Amino acid sequence: MNLKHLTDKTLISETKKLVEQERKFTTTILHHLKEIERRKLFSEYGYSSMVHYAVKEFHYSESSAVRRIQAARMLADLPELEEKINDGSLTLSGISQAAGFFQREDIKEPEQKKEILEQIEGLTARDTERKLFELGKEPVLPPEFSRPVSATYTQVKMNVCDETLRLMENARQILGEYKFCDSYMEKLSKEALENINRKKYKLTDKGRETETTGRTPTNSQQRELYERGEGVCEKCGSLFKVQKDHRHPYALGGKTETSNLRLLCFHCNQRARIRAKL
């Protein structure tokens, strides 16, 4: 596109109009993202999360997807934000920063969120960060991240409290490792995962059978579910909040029989509920 023929005044004027249109398109997209997530439609297409779906299907970068999804969720709680986004007083970046702040400070009340959002209106990303630091009660910790450092290794940076560090140190000594390293974390993670699965799927209760009581599977049914699916969601392969689910819903007469049971992650289970109109 060649715009050399435009006068300075026309170029500025048309750009302003386009920016206004862009903001309105942005809020329209946020409403669509919000409804897709409400219906858990990303699960229908085999994705374990809304972010993964937005990255793969809409070709957003991960950070762009996160900003939009956080803003869409905020818009669901505070509909009045739409006007602020449309007039440019609040940006997706600012809303995303505020969303992280609300989570860190455990702020849930809509009125309190509105008061804080009003204080970051019109601020740059850096000034927004400074303002949120001022308003915060919890200590501000360095950012956590993971990034690939080779074809097979990823660097992970995280913040842990003293008690967690003490437990990690005790586990390191018990496992016979001399330092915090990949082999230590692999052993620790395997032990933790095996212990979680043993408890969740009754893998140590082979001699203690239980009777089916309503929708709850017996111990042997839970063990069979785990062995059949290795503890992952049958639909998308996710491990996120995997739950036991009735293929034909229990509320609609489905029986608690092994053939009618499956493992679904939280999101796929919610999507199944929506499809069944429960």
Side-chain angles (χ1 to χ4, degrees):
M1 181 182 291
N2 190 336
L3 302 178
K4 292 180 179 179
H5 65 284
L6 296 178
T7 64
D8 293 349
K9 184 176 180 180
T10 302
L11 180 61
I12 295 298
S13 175
E14 289 190 359
T15 303
K16 285 184 177 178
K17 289 178 182 178
L18 289 170
V19 169
E20 290 175 4
Q21 292 173 13
E22 180 185 29
R23 291 195 186 115
K24 289 179 181 178
F25 276 126
T26 295
T27 52
T28 301
I29 290 170
L30 296 182
H31 282 297
H32 280 70
L33 292 175
K34 177 180 67 175
E35 184 61 16
I36 289 172
E37 184 168 43
R38 188 191 70 80
R39 299 186 191 185
K40 306 295 181 185
L41 279 174
F42 57 88
S43 168
E44 195 74 18
Y45 294 93
Y47 292 101
S48 61
S49 72
M50 188 64 188
V51 172
H52 192 199
Y53 174 73
V55 169
K56 294 295 183 180
E57 294 294 325
F58 302 141
H59 307 295
Y60 285 126
S61 67
E62 187 171 343
S63 58
S64 293
V66 168
R67 283 195 297 271
R68 283 159 177 77
I69 291 165
Q70 287 180 325
R73 290 169 181 166
M74 194 90 72
L75 194 58
D77 293 335
L78 304 170
E80 56 269 34
L81 286 187
E82 182 167 355
E83 183 179 345
K84 304 289 186 182
I85 296 171
N86 283 339
D87 66 21
S89 55
L90 278 175
T91 64
L92 297 186
S93 176
I95 293 172
S96 180
Q97 287 174 280
F101 176 79
F102 297 153
Q103 183 177 16
R104 185 170 67 247
E105 297 286 328
D106 196 28
I107 295 173
K108 296 182 174 64
E109 291 299 321
E111 286 304 315
Q112 191 176 358
K113 290 181 179 180
K114 284 168 60 177
E115 290 176 7
I116 292 170
L117 287 167
E118 286 174 1
Q119 295 188 58
I120 65 170
E121 286 183 23
L123 299 183
T124 64
R126 182 166 293 183
D127 287 341
T128 295
E129 190 174 21
R130 287 197 184 99
K131 174 56 69 175
L132 294 176
F133 283 162
E134 291 174 12
L135 298 173
K137 296 176 183 177
E138 294 296 321
V140 178
L141 301 173
E144 301 178 327
F145 68 85
S146 63
R147 64 186 179 107
V149 292
S150 76
T152 55
Y153 279 83
T154 298
Q155 182 186 46
V156 178
K157 182 178 179 181
M158 59 185 293
N159 305 302
V160 299
C161 67
D162 290 343
E163 176 61 12
T164 301
L165 184 61
R166 184 186 69 80
L167 293 172
M168 291 174 66
E169 177 63 26
N170 288 350
R172 180 188 66 77
Q173 294 184 46
I174 292 170
L175 291 171
E177 294 287 343
Y178 291 101
K179 60 181 179 179
F180 295 120
C181 58
D182 178 62
S183 60
Y184 157 72
M185 290 305 298
E186 182 181 7
K187 288 179 183 178
L188 188 62
S189 299
K190 282 183 177 179
E191 288 285 339
L193 189 58
E194 287 173 5
N195 188 47
I196 290 168
N197 284 333
R198 277 197 297 269
K199 290 183 177 180
K200 184 169 185 175
Y201 298 104
K202 315 298 182 185
L203 301 183
T204 56
D205 296 335
K206 292 186 178 180
R208 295 180 294 171
E209 189 52 274
T210 57
E211 295 183 3
T212 300
T213 55
R215 67 172 65 238
T216 306
T218 64
N219 287 352
S220 61
Q221 285 175 325
Q222 294 189 57
R223 287 194 297 271
E224 187 173 338
L225 271 176
Y226 173 77
E227 291 164 1
R228 187 172 71 195
E230 297 184 347
V232 303
C233 175
E234 181 180 294
K235 188 167 181 64
C236 72
S238 171
L239 287 166
F240 181 71
K241 291 186 178 179
V242 173
Q243 304 165 348
K244 299 110 182 171
D245 177 66
H246 291 71
R247 296 179 188 277
H248 181 60
Y250 181 81
L252 299 179
K255 297 182 179 180
T256 307
E257 299 174 343
T258 304
S259 60
N260 191 45
L261 295 172
R262 61 182 174 180
L263 295 179
L264 292 181
C265 70
F266 173 80
H267 295 305
C268 288
N269 199 359
Q270 291 293 301
R271 176 59 186 167
R273 180 187 62 80
I274 291 170
R275 291 194 67 182
K277 298 182 179 179
L278 295 176

PDB file of all heavy atoms in Angstrom, residues 207-231:
ATOM      1  N   GLY A 207      -6.538 -54.688  47.996  1.00  0.00           N
ATOM      2  CA  GLY A 207      -7.170 -55.647  48.892  1.00  0.00           C
ATOM      3  C   GLY A 207      -8.401 -55.109  49.576  1.00  0.00           C
ATOM      4  O   GLY A 207      -9.066 -55.821  50.319  1.00  0.00           O
ATOM      5  N   ARG A 208      -8.700 -53.825  49.331  1.00  0.00           N
ATOM      6  CA  ARG A 208      -9.843 -53.210  50.018  1.00  0.00           C
ATOM      7  C   ARG A 208     -10.833 -52.688  48.980  1.00  0.00           C
ATOM      8  O   ARG A 208     -10.716 -51.568  48.507  1.00  0.00           O
ATOM      9  CB  ARG A 208      -9.371 -52.070  50.915  1.00  0.00           C
ATOM     10  CG  ARG A 208      -8.488 -52.535  52.081  1.00  0.00           C
ATOM     11  CD  ARG A 208      -8.058 -51.350  52.923  1.00  0.00           C
ATOM     12  NE  ARG A 208      -7.169 -50.461  52.180  1.00  0.00           N
ATOM     13  CZ  ARG A 208      -6.800 -49.271  52.630  1.00  0.00           C
ATOM     14  NH1 ARG A 208      -7.267 -48.805  53.759  1.00  0.00           N
ATOM     15  NH2 ARG A 208      -5.967 -48.532  51.916  1.00  0.00           N
ATOM     16  N   GLU A 209     -11.799 -53.498  48.630  1.00  0.00           N
ATOM     17  CA  GLU A 209     -12.769 -53.103  47.615  1.00  0.00           C
ATOM     18  C   GLU A 209     -13.895 -52.300  48.261  1.00  0.00           C
ATOM     19  O   GLU A 209     -14.201 -52.475  49.443  1.00  0.00           O
ATOM     20  CB  GLU A 209     -13.349 -54.344  46.914  1.00  0.00           C
ATOM     21  CG  GLU A 209     -14.204 -54.011  45.708  1.00  0.00           C
ATOM     22  CD  GLU A 209     -13.490 -53.083  44.735  1.00  0.00           C
ATOM     23  OE1 GLU A 209     -13.561 -51.856  44.946  1.00  0.00           O
ATOM     24  OE2 GLU A 209     -12.869 -53.579  43.792  1.00  0.00           O
ATOM     25  N   THR A 210     -14.456 -51.405  47.491  1.00  0.00           N
ATOM     26  CA  THR A 210     -15.608 -50.638  47.956  1.00  0.00           C
ATOM     27  C   THR A 210     -16.765 -50.878  47.017  1.00  0.00           C
ATOM     28  O   THR A 210     -16.587 -51.263  45.865  1.00  0.00           O
ATOM     29  CB  THR A 210     -15.291 -49.121  47.957  1.00  0.00           C
ATOM     30  OG1 THR A 210     -14.898 -48.737  46.631  1.00  0.00           O
ATOM     31  CG2 THR A 210     -14.179 -48.801  48.933  1.00  0.00           C
ATOM     32  N   GLU A 211     -17.967 -50.663  47.514  1.00  0.00           N
ATOM     33  CA  GLU A 211     -19.154 -50.816  46.685  1.00  0.00           C
ATOM     34  C   GLU A 211     -19.465 -49.498  46.001  1.00  0.00           C
ATOM     35  O   GLU A 211     -19.148 -48.425  46.503  1.00  0.00           O
ATOM     36  CB  GLU A 211     -20.346 -51.244  47.550  1.00  0.00           C
ATOM     37  CG  GLU A 211     -20.193 -52.616  48.175  1.00  0.00           C
ATOM     38  CD  GLU A 211     -21.433 -53.015  48.954  1.00  0.00           C
ATOM     39  OE1 GLU A 211     -22.408 -52.231  48.946  1.00  0.00           O
ATOM     40  OE2 GLU A 211     -21.422 -54.088  49.558  1.00  0.00           O
ATOM     41  N   THR A 212     -20.101 -49.590  44.818  1.00  0.00           N
ATOM     42  CA  THR A 212     -20.496 -48.385  44.114  1.00  0.00           C
ATOM     43  C   THR A 212     -21.599 -47.688  44.897  1.00  0.00           C
ATOM     44  O   THR A 212     -22.611 -48.295  45.233  1.00  0.00           O
ATOM     45  CB  THR A 212     -21.020 -48.719  42.700  1.00  0.00           C
ATOM     46  OG1 THR A 212     -19.989 -49.368  41.980  1.00  0.00           O
ATOM     47  CG2 THR A 212     -21.435 -47.459  41.966  1.00  0.00           C
ATOM     48  N   THR A 213     -21.377 -46.432  45.229  1.00  0.00           N
ATOM     49  CA  THR A 213     -22.399 -45.647  45.918  1.00  0.00           C
ATOM     50  C   THR A 213     -22.753 -44.460  45.042  1.00  0.00           C
ATOM     51  O   THR A 213     -22.058 -43.456  45.008  1.00  0.00           O
ATOM     52  CB  THR A 213     -21.884 -45.146  47.284  1.00  0.00           C
ATOM     53  OG1 THR A 213     -20.660 -44.428  47.077  1.00  0.00           O
ATOM     54  CG2 THR A 213     -21.629 -46.306  48.229  1.00  0.00           C
ATOM     55  N   GLY A 214     -23.822 -44.609  44.276  1.00  0.00           N
ATOM     56  CA  GLY A 214     -24.230 -43.528  43.398  1.00  0.00           C
ATOM     57  C   GLY A 214     -23.261 -43.331  42.253  1.00  0.00           C
ATOM     58  O   GLY A 214     -22.933 -44.267  41.529  1.00  0.00           O
ATOM     59  N   ARG A 215     -22.731 -42.125  42.144  1.00  0.00           N
ATOM     60  CA  ARG A 215     -21.855 -41.787  41.023  1.00  0.00           C
ATOM     61  C   ARG A 215     -20.392 -42.141  41.273  1.00  0.00           C
ATOM     62  O   ARG A 215     -19.578 -42.074  40.368  1.00  0.00           O
ATOM     63  CB  ARG A 215     -21.976 -40.299  40.692  1.00  0.00           C
ATOM     64  CG  ARG A 215     -21.443 -39.372  41.748  1.00  0.00           C
ATOM     65  CD  ARG A 215     -21.414 -37.919  41.283  1.00  0.00           C
ATOM     66  NE  ARG A 215     -22.741 -37.389  41.032  1.00  0.00           N
ATOM     67  CZ  ARG A 215     -23.124 -36.899  39.854  1.00  0.00           C
ATOM     68  NH1 ARG A 215     -22.287 -36.893  38.840  1.00  0.00           N
ATOM     69  NH2 ARG A 215     -24.341 -36.420  39.692  1.00  0.00           N
ATOM     70  N   THR A 216     -20.018 -42.488  42.506  1.00  0.00           N
ATOM     71  CA  THR A 216     -18.619 -42.750  42.840  1.00  0.00           C
ATOM     72  C   THR A 216     -18.179 -44.151  42.414  1.00  0.00           C
ATOM     73  O   THR A 216     -18.765 -45.141  42.854  1.00  0.00           O
ATOM     74  CB  THR A 216     -18.384 -42.592  44.352  1.00  0.00           C
ATOM     75  OG1 THR A 216     -18.839 -41.298  44.766  1.00  0.00           O
ATOM     76  CG2 THR A 216     -16.908 -42.754  44.679  1.00  0.00           C
ATOM     77  N   PRO A 217     -17.149 -44.270  41.567  1.00  0.00           N
ATOM     78  CA  PRO A 217     -16.671 -45.593  41.133  1.00  0.00           C
ATOM     79  C   PRO A 217     -16.028 -46.359  42.288  1.00  0.00           C
ATOM     80  O   PRO A 217     -15.564 -45.766  43.264  1.00  0.00           O
ATOM     81  CB  PRO A 217     -15.620 -45.260  40.059  1.00  0.00           C
ATOM     82  CG  PRO A 217     -15.862 -43.844  39.687  1.00  0.00           C
ATOM     83  CD  PRO A 217     -16.412 -43.181  40.914  1.00  0.00           C
ATOM     84  N   THR A 218     -16.001 -47.682  42.179  1.00  0.00           N
ATOM     85  CA  THR A 218     -15.321 -48.499  43.173  1.00  0.00           C
ATOM     86  C   THR A 218     -13.809 -48.325  43.015  1.00  0.00           C
ATOM     87  O   THR A 218     -13.324 -47.782  42.022  1.00  0.00           O
ATOM     88  CB  THR A 218     -15.670 -49.984  42.985  1.00  0.00           C
ATOM     89  OG1 THR A 218     -15.162 -50.410  41.709  1.00  0.00           O
ATOM     90  CG2 THR A 218     -17.174 -50.214  43.024  1.00  0.00           C
ATOM     91  N   ASN A 219     -13.060 -48.829  44.004  1.00  0.00           N
ATOM     92  CA  ASN A 219     -11.609 -48.749  43.935  1.00  0.00           C
ATOM     93  C   ASN A 219     -11.071 -49.441  42.688  1.00  0.00           C
ATOM     94  O   ASN A 219     -10.180 -48.930  41.998  1.00  0.00           O
ATOM     95  CB  ASN A 219     -10.981 -49.381  45.181  1.00  0.00           C
ATOM     96  CG  ASN A 219     -11.152 -48.496  46.409  1.00  0.00           C
ATOM     97  OD1 ASN A 219     -11.602 -47.353  46.301  1.00  0.00           O
ATOM     98  ND2 ASN A 219     -10.812 -49.024  47.569  1.00  0.00           N
ATOM     99  N   SER A 220     -11.617 -50.632  42.387  1.00  0.00           N
ATOM    100  CA  SER A 220     -11.125 -51.380  41.222  1.00  0.00           C
ATOM    101  C   SER A 220     -11.465 -50.655  39.921  1.00  0.00           C
ATOM    102  O   SER A 220     -10.685 -50.675  38.967  1.00  0.00           O
ATOM    103  CB  SER A 220     -11.717 -52.794  41.204  1.00  0.00           C
ATOM    104  OG  SER A 220     -13.128 -52.757  41.115  1.00  0.00           O
ATOM    105  N   GLN A 221     -12.630 -50.001  39.872  1.00  0.00           N
ATOM    106  CA  GLN A 221     -12.996 -49.228  38.677  1.00  0.00           C
ATOM    107  C   GLN A 221     -12.043 -48.052  38.490  1.00  0.00           C
ATOM    108  O   GLN A 221     -11.636 -47.739  37.363  1.00  0.00           O
ATOM    109  CB  GLN A 221     -14.440 -48.731  38.790  1.00  0.00           C
ATOM    110  CG  GLN A 221     -15.490 -49.808  38.575  1.00  0.00           C
ATOM    111  CD  GLN A 221     -16.893 -49.282  38.818  1.00  0.00           C
ATOM    112  OE1 GLN A 221     -17.131 -48.441  39.685  1.00  0.00           O
ATOM    113  NE2 GLN A 221     -17.844 -49.790  38.038  1.00  0.00           N
ATOM    114  N   GLN A 222     -11.674 -47.407  39.581  1.00  0.00           N
ATOM    115  CA  GLN A 222     -10.754 -46.275  39.487  1.00  0.00           C
ATOM    116  C   GLN A 222      -9.369 -46.733  39.043  1.00  0.00           C
ATOM    117  O   GLN A 222      -8.713 -46.070  38.241  1.00  0.00           O
ATOM    118  CB  GLN A 222     -10.673 -45.557  40.841  1.00  0.00           C
ATOM    119  CG  GLN A 222     -11.990 -44.887  41.237  1.00  0.00           C
ATOM    120  CD  GLN A 222     -11.855 -43.997  42.446  1.00  0.00           C
ATOM    121  OE1 GLN A 222     -11.051 -43.065  42.446  1.00  0.00           O
ATOM    122  NE2 GLN A 222     -12.638 -44.251  43.476  1.00  0.00           N
ATOM    123  N   ARG A 223      -8.931 -47.898  39.543  1.00  0.00           N
ATOM    124  CA  ARG A 223      -7.641 -48.433  39.119  1.00  0.00           C
ATOM    125  C   ARG A 223      -7.667 -48.771  37.628  1.00  0.00           C
ATOM    126  O   ARG A 223      -6.715 -48.487  36.888  1.00  0.00           O
ATOM    127  CB  ARG A 223      -7.287 -49.688  39.933  1.00  0.00           C
ATOM    128  CG  ARG A 223      -6.893 -49.388  41.365  1.00  0.00           C
ATOM    129  CD  ARG A 223      -6.237 -50.588  42.018  1.00  0.00           C
ATOM    130  NE  ARG A 223      -7.147 -51.720  42.105  1.00  0.00           N
ATOM    131  CZ  ARG A 223      -7.976 -51.933  43.129  1.00  0.00           C
ATOM    132  NH1 ARG A 223      -8.014 -51.081  44.141  1.00  0.00           N
ATOM    133  NH2 ARG A 223      -8.747 -52.996  43.156  1.00  0.00           N
ATOM    134  N   GLU A 224      -8.785 -49.370  37.170  1.00  0.00           N
ATOM    135  CA  GLU A 224      -8.899 -49.727  35.755  1.00  0.00           C
ATOM    136  C   GLU A 224      -8.908 -48.485  34.871  1.00  0.00           C
ATOM    137  O   GLU A 224      -8.320 -48.473  33.789  1.00  0.00           O
ATOM    138  CB  GLU A 224     -10.167 -50.549  35.524  1.00  0.00           C
ATOM    139  CG  GLU A 224     -10.283 -51.098  34.107  1.00  0.00           C
ATOM    140  CD  GLU A 224     -11.456 -52.036  33.930  1.00  0.00           C
ATOM    141  OE1 GLU A 224     -11.929 -52.585  34.938  1.00  0.00           O
ATOM    142  OE2 GLU A 224     -11.885 -52.227  32.771  1.00  0.00           O
ATOM    143  N   LEU A 225      -9.570 -47.427  35.348  1.00  0.00           N
ATOM    144  CA  LEU A 225      -9.589 -46.169  34.603  1.00  0.00           C
ATOM    145  C   LEU A 225      -8.174 -45.638  34.415  1.00  0.00           C
ATOM    146  O   LEU A 225      -7.795 -45.194  33.329  1.00  0.00           O
ATOM    147  CB  LEU A 225     -10.426 -45.124  35.346  1.00  0.00           C
ATOM    148  CG  LEU A 225     -11.918 -45.047  35.046  1.00  0.00           C
ATOM    149  CD1 LEU A 225     -12.567 -44.016  35.947  1.00  0.00           C
ATOM    150  CD2 LEU A 225     -12.166 -44.698  33.589  1.00  0.00           C
ATOM    151  N   TYR A 226      -7.406 -45.660  35.489  1.00  0.00           N
ATOM    152  CA  TYR A 226      -6.033 -45.159  35.433  1.00  0.00           C
ATOM    153  C   TYR A 226      -5.181 -46.010  34.490  1.00  0.00           C
ATOM    154  O   TYR A 226      -4.449 -45.480  33.639  1.00  0.00           O
ATOM    155  CB  TYR A 226      -5.403 -45.155  36.824  1.00  0.00           C
ATOM    156  CG  TYR A 226      -3.941 -44.812  36.805  1.00  0.00           C
ATOM    157  CD1 TYR A 226      -3.518 -43.499  36.635  1.00  0.00           C
ATOM    158  CD2 TYR A 226      -2.968 -45.814  36.926  1.00  0.00           C
ATOM    159  CE1 TYR A 226      -2.169 -43.180  36.585  1.00  0.00           C
ATOM    160  CE2 TYR A 226      -1.619 -45.504  36.886  1.00  0.00           C
ATOM    161  CZ  TYR A 226      -1.229 -44.186  36.719  1.00  0.00           C
ATOM    162  OH  TYR A 226       0.110 -43.875  36.665  1.00  0.00           O
ATOM    163  N   GLU A 227      -5.282 -47.326  34.630  1.00  0.00           N
ATOM    164  CA  GLU A 227      -4.469 -48.226  33.798  1.00  0.00           C
ATOM    165  C   GLU A 227      -4.836 -48.111  32.326  1.00  0.00           C
ATOM    166  O   GLU A 227      -4.001 -48.223  31.438  1.00  0.00           O
ATOM    167  CB  GLU A 227      -4.631 -49.661  34.295  1.00  0.00           C
ATOM    168  CG  GLU A 227      -3.976 -49.876  35.662  1.00  0.00           C
ATOM    169  CD  GLU A 227      -4.434 -51.150  36.347  1.00  0.00           C
ATOM    170  OE1 GLU A 227      -5.253 -51.880  35.740  1.00  0.00           O
ATOM    171  OE2 GLU A 227      -3.997 -51.411  37.486  1.00  0.00           O
ATOM    172  N   ARG A 228      -6.117 -47.863  32.065  1.00  0.00           N
ATOM    173  CA  ARG A 228      -6.583 -47.761  30.680  1.00  0.00           C
ATOM    174  C   ARG A 228      -6.121 -46.458  30.040  1.00  0.00           C
ATOM    175  O   ARG A 228      -5.747 -46.427  28.868  1.00  0.00           O
ATOM    176  CB  ARG A 228      -8.113 -47.838  30.659  1.00  0.00           C
ATOM    177  CG  ARG A 228      -8.738 -47.908  29.268  1.00  0.00           C
ATOM    178  CD  ARG A 228     -10.234 -48.171  29.393  1.00  0.00           C
ATOM    179  NE  ARG A 228     -10.944 -47.014  29.921  1.00  0.00           N
ATOM    180  CZ  ARG A 228     -12.189 -47.058  30.388  1.00  0.00           C
ATOM    181  NH1 ARG A 228     -12.829 -48.213  30.434  1.00  0.00           N
ATOM    182  NH2 ARG A 228     -12.779 -45.969  30.836  1.00  0.00           N
ATOM    183  N   GLY A 229      -6.129 -45.368  30.798  1.00  0.00           N
ATOM    184  CA  GLY A 229      -5.808 -44.061  30.209  1.00  0.00           C
ATOM    185  C   GLY A 229      -4.556 -43.419  30.732  1.00  0.00           C
ATOM    186  O   GLY A 229      -4.241 -42.284  30.359  1.00  0.00           O
ATOM    187  N   GLU A 230      -3.829 -44.102  31.640  1.00  0.00           N
ATOM    188  CA  GLU A 230      -2.585 -43.581  32.217  1.00  0.00           C
ATOM    189  C   GLU A 230      -2.777 -42.223  32.883  1.00  0.00           C
ATOM    190  O   GLU A 230      -1.865 -41.401  32.935  1.00  0.00           O
ATOM    191  CB  GLU A 230      -1.482 -43.511  31.163  1.00  0.00           C
ATOM    192  CG  GLU A 230      -1.105 -44.882  30.604  1.00  0.00           C
ATOM    193  CD  GLU A 230       0.057 -44.823  29.637  1.00  0.00           C
ATOM    194  OE1 GLU A 230       0.408 -43.706  29.215  1.00  0.00           O
ATOM    195  OE2 GLU A 230       0.605 -45.884  29.318  1.00  0.00           O
ATOM    196  N   GLY A 231      -3.992 -41.955  33.338  1.00  0.00           N
ATOM    197  CA  GLY A 231      -4.251 -40.745  34.113  1.00  0.00           C
ATOM    198  C   GLY A 231      -4.377 -39.460  33.325  1.00  0.00           C
ATOM    199  O   GLY A 231      -4.387 -38.382  33.909  1.00  0.00           O
TER     200      GLY A 231
END
